[in-house]
Amino acid sequence: TCSHKQTLSTSAQSTMCPECGAYMDLRDFKITSPFGRSVQTAGEVHVASRGDVTSTRLMCGSAFIEGSLRGCIVCTGTARVRIKGRLTGMLQAEHLVVEKGADMEFARVVRTNTFEAKGKVAARVVAAKVIIAKGGWLEGSVYARAITVDKGGVFSGELNIGQETFEVFEEPMEPDRQIGRSEEHTSELQSPYVISYA
């Protein structure tokens, strides 16, 4: 937590910070079943399709989520998500990527530096930058300093851009919201802003 940099062997599984004395786990974790332990690692946490994280605070360097997250994961680097369904837990990351093949909804507000949609996602996003890649689909509310929609990407919803800070409060999303409606239905949405590049 002191931001001191040190060089380690690739085989190291843990270390002590020479500056502040903090212990750091460097192992990767693959979660394939119900998991409620507290973990703090600089390595990757992979929540496999049968994994179910209920930990109140799981900290990691990077994450790949294919299973259920009902607890809280805090990631100092990139978190990648590829699920079908609703993610009810809290996921915080410097860079959050919704991967191709995902068809999902974030139940909570997503707060990140960079949010990237490569798959289909419904979310309320607070970020410095939002990127919707080719084939990506983002539906919901975006509060960001900048947004990029690549050719072949779709954004549908409320867009608030340009401010340094946004006050966004937790409020439940509609539980029956359908994700990834076809483009011909996009114009029927009640939301005020639609971007689509064919």
Side-chain angles (χ1 to χ4, degrees):
T1 59
C2 70
S3 301
H4 178 79
K5 293 182 179 177
Q6 60 178 305
T7 305
L8 300 167
S9 161
T10 54
S11 61
Q13 293 194 347
S14 64
T15 186
M16 296 284 281
C17 176
E19 189 69 25
C20 68
Y23 171 80
M24 287 178 283
D25 195 333
L26 304 173
R27 292 175 296 166
D28 294 338
F29 287 82
K30 185 169 184 179
I31 298 169
T32 57
S33 59
F35 188 89
R37 284 187 13 232
S38 177
V39 169
Q40 186 167 346
T41 181
E44 181 180 76
V45 169
H46 178 190
V47 182
S49 57
R50 294 190 178 190
D52 179 12
V53 174
T54 57
S55 309
T56 53
R57 194 166 176 86
L58 194 156
M59 300 186 73
C60 59
S62 62
F64 182 32
I65 300 165
E66 297 179 291
S68 173
L69 171 60
R70 294 183 289 155
C72 175
I73 292 181
V74 178
C75 183
T76 57
T78 299
R80 298 176 299 128
V81 185
R82 187 174 59 214
I83 66 169
K84 293 189 186 299
R86 198 164 197 245
L87 192 143
T88 57
M90 181 176 286
L91 178 60
Q92 295 177 352
E94 182 68 16
H95 180 195
L96 204 155
V97 181
V98 175
E99 294 282 8
K100 283 183 181 179
D103 190 349
M104 64 170 296
E105 174 188 357
F106 283 95
R108 294 173 173 260
V109 174
V110 177
R111 296 175 196 275
T112 182
N113 188 44
T114 305
F115 182 90
E116 196 170 347
K118 295 179 178 180
K120 294 180 181 177
V121 58
R124 284 163 295 149
V125 180
V126 180
K129 185 171 186 180
V130 172
I131 301 163
I132 303 171
K134 179 181 179 180
W137 181 298
L138 173 58
E139 179 183 341
S141 301
V142 169
Y143 303 83
R145 287 201 289 261
I147 183 170
T148 301
V149 182
D150 291 345
K151 186 175 181 178
V154 176
F155 170 72
S156 173
E158 181 185 349
L159 183 60
N160 303 277
I161 59 169
Q163 288 177 234
E164 284 296 313
T165 58
F166 295 95
E167 283 192 34
V168 180
F169 302 100
E170 288 284 344
E171 56 184 63
M173 291 182 81
E174 305 156 29
D176 59 346
R177 168 170 277 181
Q178 291 180 355
I179 304 161
R181 286 176 256 205
S182 59
E183 288 188 43
E184 63 266 25
H185 295 110
T186 303
S187 60
E188 296 174 13
L189 296 172
Q190 297 300 312
S191 51
Y193 207 98
V194 175
I195 299 174
S196 175
Y197 292 106

mmCIF file of all heavy atoms in Angstrom, residues 3 9 13 15 33 39-40 47 54 75 86-88 101 119 137 143 153 155 165:
data_model
loop_
_atom_site.group_PDB
_atom_site.id
_atom_site.type_symbol
_atom_site.label_atom_id
_atom_site.label_comp_id
_atom_site.label_asym_id
_atom_site.label_seq_id
_atom_site.Cartn_x
_atom_site.Cartn_y
_atom_site.Cartn_z
ATOM 1 N N SER A 3 3.238 1.927 -2.281
ATOM 2 C CA SER A 3 3.632 2.165 -3.679
ATOM 3 C C SER A 3 5.127 1.985 -3.935
ATOM 4 O O SER A 3 5.630 2.398 -4.974
ATOM 5 C CB SER A 3 3.213 3.569 -4.135
ATOM 6 O OG SER A 3 1.825 3.715 -4.022
ATOM 7 N N SER A 9 11.721 -12.489 -8.077
ATOM 8 C CA SER A 9 11.855 -13.664 -8.935
ATOM 9 C C SER A 9 10.471 -14.072 -9.434
ATOM 10 O O SER A 9 9.472 -13.906 -8.730
ATOM 11 C CB SER A 9 12.476 -14.808 -8.130
ATOM 12 O OG SER A 9 12.228 -16.034 -8.765
ATOM 13 N N GLN A 13 6.267 -16.488 -4.352
ATOM 14 C CA GLN A 13 4.844 -16.602 -4.041
ATOM 15 C C GLN A 13 4.377 -15.554 -3.035
ATOM 16 O O GLN A 13 3.191 -15.353 -2.859
ATOM 17 C CB GLN A 13 4.532 -18.003 -3.509
ATOM 18 C CG GLN A 13 4.712 -19.063 -4.571
ATOM 19 C CD GLN A 13 4.079 -20.376 -4.162
ATOM 20 O OE1 GLN A 13 3.722 -20.588 -3.012
ATOM 21 N NE2 GLN A 13 3.944 -21.272 -5.121
ATOM 22 N N THR A 15 6.055 -11.828 -0.607
ATOM 23 C CA THR A 15 7.191 -10.952 -0.299
ATOM 24 C C THR A 15 6.803 -10.012 0.840
ATOM 25 O O THR A 15 5.626 -9.866 1.163
ATOM 26 C CB THR A 15 7.617 -10.137 -1.540
ATOM 27 O OG1 THR A 15 8.808 -9.409 -1.231
ATOM 28 C CG2 THR A 15 6.539 -9.153 -1.963
ATOM 29 N N SER A 33 -15.616 -23.272 -6.847
ATOM 30 C CA SER A 33 -16.734 -23.693 -6.003
ATOM 31 C C SER A 33 -17.101 -22.517 -5.089
ATOM 32 O O SER A 33 -16.468 -21.466 -5.162
ATOM 33 C CB SER A 33 -16.322 -24.922 -5.178
ATOM 34 O OG SER A 33 -15.208 -24.604 -4.382
ATOM 35 N N VAL A 39 -9.088 -12.809 0.785
ATOM 36 C CA VAL A 39 -7.822 -12.995 0.071
ATOM 37 C C VAL A 39 -7.268 -11.626 -0.273
ATOM 38 O O VAL A 39 -8.005 -10.712 -0.638
ATOM 39 C CB VAL A 39 -8.032 -13.809 -1.234
ATOM 40 C CG1 VAL A 39 -6.794 -13.775 -2.108
ATOM 41 C CG2 VAL A 39 -8.409 -15.241 -0.918
ATOM 42 N N GLN A 40 -5.946 -11.493 -0.146
ATOM 43 C CA GLN A 40 -5.268 -10.277 -0.586
ATOM 44 C C GLN A 40 -4.017 -10.717 -1.325
ATOM 45 O O GLN A 40 -3.059 -11.195 -0.725
ATOM 46 C CB GLN A 40 -4.921 -9.386 0.612
ATOM 47 C CG GLN A 40 -4.359 -8.049 0.182
ATOM 48 C CD GLN A 40 -4.313 -7.048 1.322
ATOM 49 O OE1 GLN A 40 -4.916 -7.250 2.367
ATOM 50 N NE2 GLN A 40 -3.595 -5.961 1.101
ATOM 51 N N VAL A 47 -12.404 -16.512 -11.264
ATOM 52 C CA VAL A 47 -13.643 -17.112 -10.778
ATOM 53 C C VAL A 47 -14.209 -17.919 -11.943
ATOM 54 O O VAL A 47 -14.758 -17.359 -12.891
ATOM 55 C CB VAL A 47 -14.654 -16.046 -10.303
ATOM 56 C CG1 VAL A 47 -15.913 -16.715 -9.754
ATOM 57 C CG2 VAL A 47 -14.029 -15.133 -9.250
ATOM 58 N N THR A 54 -18.446 -15.085 -2.293
ATOM 59 C CA THR A 54 -19.267 -14.368 -1.326
ATOM 60 C C THR A 54 -18.399 -13.584 -0.340
ATOM 61 O O THR A 54 -18.914 -13.013 0.617
ATOM 62 C CB THR A 54 -20.175 -15.341 -0.550
ATOM 63 O OG1 THR A 54 -19.353 -16.329 0.086
ATOM 64 C CG2 THR A 54 -21.174 -16.026 -1.471
ATOM 65 N N CYS A 75 -9.847 -4.846 -7.448
ATOM 66 C CA CYS A 75 -8.757 -5.214 -8.343
ATOM 67 C C CYS A 75 -7.918 -3.974 -8.671
ATOM 68 O O CYS A 75 -8.466 -2.978 -9.151
ATOM 69 C CB CYS A 75 -9.395 -5.800 -9.604
ATOM 70 S SG CYS A 75 -8.251 -6.387 -10.795
ATOM 71 N N ARG A 86 -26.890 -11.817 -14.266
ATOM 72 C CA ARG A 86 -26.779 -10.627 -13.420
ATOM 73 C C ARG A 86 -25.630 -10.768 -12.435
ATOM 74 O O ARG A 86 -25.533 -11.784 -11.750
ATOM 75 C CB ARG A 86 -28.099 -10.452 -12.675
ATOM 76 C CG ARG A 86 -28.330 -9.097 -12.107
ATOM 77 C CD ARG A 86 -29.814 -8.955 -11.761
ATOM 78 N NE ARG A 86 -30.151 -7.559 -11.597
ATOM 79 C CZ ARG A 86 -30.546 -7.025 -10.454
ATOM 80 N NH1 ARG A 86 -30.662 -7.775 -9.374
ATOM 81 N NH2 ARG A 86 -30.834 -5.749 -10.380
ATOM 82 N N LEU A 87 -24.777 -9.758 -12.357
ATOM 83 C CA LEU A 87 -23.698 -9.732 -11.374
ATOM 84 C C LEU A 87 -24.182 -8.859 -10.222
ATOM 85 O O LEU A 87 -24.333 -7.648 -10.383
ATOM 86 C CB LEU A 87 -22.419 -9.171 -11.997
ATOM 87 C CG LEU A 87 -21.158 -9.355 -11.155
ATOM 88 C CD1 LEU A 87 -19.963 -9.638 -12.050
ATOM 89 C CD2 LEU A 87 -20.887 -8.139 -10.298
ATOM 90 N N THR A 88 -24.484 -9.481 -9.081
ATOM 91 C CA THR A 88 -25.091 -8.757 -7.957
ATOM 92 C C THR A 88 -24.067 -8.197 -6.985
ATOM 93 O O THR A 88 -24.384 -7.319 -6.195
ATOM 94 C CB THR A 88 -26.066 -9.665 -7.185
ATOM 95 O OG1 THR A 88 -25.365 -10.823 -6.732
ATOM 96 C CG2 THR A 88 -27.230 -10.083 -8.063
ATOM 97 N N GLY A 101 -18.873 -12.392 -25.807
ATOM 98 C CA GLY A 101 -19.578 -13.571 -25.309
ATOM 99 C C GLY A 101 -20.378 -13.283 -24.053
ATOM 100 O O GLY A 101 -21.229 -14.071 -23.656
ATOM 101 N N GLY A 119 -18.692 -7.109 -25.117
ATOM 102 C CA GLY A 119 -19.882 -7.953 -25.183
ATOM 103 C C GLY A 119 -21.111 -7.111 -24.874
ATOM 104 O O GLY A 119 -21.052 -5.880 -24.913
ATOM 105 N N TRP A 137 -22.080 -3.803 -26.839
ATOM 106 C CA TRP A 137 -23.408 -3.202 -26.654
ATOM 107 C C TRP A 137 -23.518 -2.780 -25.200
ATOM 108 O O TRP A 137 -23.448 -3.609 -24.300
ATOM 109 C CB TRP A 137 -24.490 -4.224 -26.995
ATOM 110 C CG TRP A 137 -25.891 -3.713 -26.868
ATOM 111 C CD1 TRP A 137 -26.507 -3.251 -25.733
ATOM 112 C CD2 TRP A 137 -26.864 -3.624 -27.896
ATOM 113 N NE1 TRP A 137 -27.797 -2.883 -26.004
ATOM 114 C CE2 TRP A 137 -28.052 -3.098 -27.327
ATOM 115 C CE3 TRP A 137 -26.863 -3.941 -29.262
ATOM 116 C CZ2 TRP A 137 -29.204 -2.884 -28.060
ATOM 117 C CZ3 TRP A 137 -28.021 -3.722 -29.974
ATOM 118 C CH2 TRP A 137 -29.175 -3.205 -29.388
ATOM 119 N N TYR A 143 -21.733 8.081 -16.918
ATOM 120 C CA TYR A 143 -21.208 9.330 -16.375
ATOM 121 C C TYR A 143 -19.703 9.265 -16.589
ATOM 122 O O TYR A 143 -19.013 8.514 -15.891
ATOM 123 C CB TYR A 143 -21.528 9.453 -14.881
ATOM 124 C CG TYR A 143 -23.004 9.359 -14.572
ATOM 125 C CD1 TYR A 143 -23.636 8.121 -14.449
ATOM 126 C CD2 TYR A 143 -23.776 10.513 -14.427
ATOM 127 C CE1 TYR A 143 -24.991 8.031 -14.177
ATOM 128 C CE2 TYR A 143 -25.138 10.423 -14.155
ATOM 129 C CZ TYR A 143 -25.734 9.187 -14.033
ATOM 130 O OH TYR A 143 -27.083 9.089 -13.765
ATOM 131 N N GLY A 153 -20.199 -0.835 -32.735
ATOM 132 C CA GLY A 153 -20.582 -0.819 -31.327
ATOM 133 C C GLY A 153 -21.881 -0.062 -31.145
ATOM 134 O O GLY A 153 -22.258 0.771 -31.972
ATOM 135 N N PHE A 155 -24.364 2.081 -28.164
ATOM 136 C CA PHE A 155 -24.688 2.604 -26.841
ATOM 137 C C PHE A 155 -26.137 3.056 -26.862
ATOM 138 O O PHE A 155 -26.570 3.729 -27.784
ATOM 139 C CB PHE A 155 -23.798 3.784 -26.450
ATOM 140 C CG PHE A 155 -24.280 4.484 -25.207
ATOM 141 C CD1 PHE A 155 -24.146 3.883 -23.970
ATOM 142 C CD2 PHE A 155 -24.921 5.707 -25.275
ATOM 143 C CE1 PHE A 155 -24.629 4.490 -22.825
ATOM 144 C CE2 PHE A 155 -25.409 6.327 -24.139
ATOM 145 C CZ PHE A 155 -25.255 5.725 -22.913
ATOM 146 N N THR A 165 -16.193 15.304 -11.846
ATOM 147 C CA THR A 165 -16.757 14.382 -10.856
ATOM 148 C C THR A 165 -18.273 14.290 -11.038
ATOM 149 O O THR A 165 -18.909 15.228 -11.504
ATOM 150 C CB THR A 165 -16.470 14.847 -9.408
ATOM 151 O OG1 THR A 165 -17.016 16.150 -9.226
ATOM 152 C CG2 THR A 165 -14.985 14.856 -9.114
#
